[in-house]
Amino acid sequence: CGKKFAMAVASPQMIADYKVALPLLAGRSNRTTFVIGKDGRIAWTLADFKPDPHITGSLAALKTLKTLKK
């Protein structure tokens, strides 16, 4: 995913705030993608360990956001 989209390593506070903690691995998160609109609201989210759905889903969400702005 890193070659397609901006990525970040979540801090412990971000993991708690977005509720993406892995129960058995303290301080670690699952693979979760958020598409956040220019208004700061979460427009789309996916939690899946496989990377491909994140790429295709994110692109579809971004296209939808773009068409909604027109």
Side-chain angles (χ1 to χ4, degrees):
C1 299
K3 295 178 183 176
K4 299 284 184 181
F5 302 102
M7 293 178 54
V9 175
S11 68
Q13 186 63 50
M14 288 175 70
I15 291 169
D17 290 347
Y18 283 91
K19 298 175 178 58
V20 294
L22 289 172
L24 301 177
L25 296 171
R28 301 291 303 253
S29 69
N30 60 19
R31 180 182 295 223
T32 303
T33 298
F34 294 95
V35 173
I36 301 173
K38 289 184 179 184
D39 61 0
R41 298 179 71 186
I42 297 171
W44 182 83
T45 184
L46 175 68
D48 192 321
F49 284 105
K50 294 177 261 174
D52 291 343
H54 292 269
I55 296 167
T56 56
S58 295
L59 285 173
L62 290 168
K63 286 178 185 176
T64 299
L65 281 175
K66 186 176 180 180
T67 60
L68 291 174
K69 298 290 180 185
K70 290 183 178 181

